[in-house]
Amino acid sequence: MAFGRGTRTPHETTTTTTTTNPTDRRSIFSPILSVNNILVWISSVIVLGLSAYEIHHFKKYYGGYPGARIVYILVIAVLTVAFFLLSFLLHPRPSHTLLFNLIFSYLWLVAVTFAARLYSSSHIASKWHALEAFTFISFFFSFFNILYNWWQWHRAAPRTAAVV
């Protein structure tokens, strides 16, 4: 009884969670995300083949090391092929999928800058322009996966409201 007040009664707060029909919210494994993952995987397989072809021919005809940039592009393509194939089979959680796409989009962004620096000349064969184009396609769809995955993840989050 401080300052003439009566005994204090604790307030009971209840938390209500608004849920919606499962058909209202799509899961994280929607057809759009699956098609984008397939496009990233296919374009990274093409980049893998073209960059391995260039490294093979460089070593065959010049007998030396082709440089770190093309090897980086090859390594990113190999990692993408392996991990995206694994992600098709394991179906990770939405938060892991967002982190996964975030990491690979930045790796592909660096690969796009390397490919643009190496193959933007008009005196380069068209297969190297194709390598540059498919690295950009891999980056673009992995970046779109980030945006779409983030949107789906926040859209599907339950909304809570405290009622006093």
Side-chain angles (χ1 to χ4, degrees), residues 4 32 35 39 50 55 62 71 81 160:
I32 294 173
V35 167
L39 288 173
L50 288 173
I55 290 173
Y62 298 110
V71 173
V81 167
T160 59

Side-chain angles (χ1 to χ4, degrees), residues 36-87:
N36 285 341
N37 283 336
I38 289 169
L39 288 173
V40 168
W41 189 79
I42 288 171
S43 62
S44 63
V45 167
I46 294 170
V47 169
L48 171 69
L50 288 173
S51 58
Y53 177 79
E54 180 185 0
I55 290 173
H56 172 72
H57 277 276
F58 193 89
K59 286 183 177 180
K60 182 178 177 181
Y61 294 115
Y62 298 110
Y65 182 66
R69 290 179 178 172
I70 189 65
V71 173
Y72 176 84
I73 294 171
L74 178 68
V75 167
I76 297 306
V78 167
L79 289 175
T80 304
V81 167
F83 283 114
F84 270 70
L85 191 61
L86 213 76
S87 76

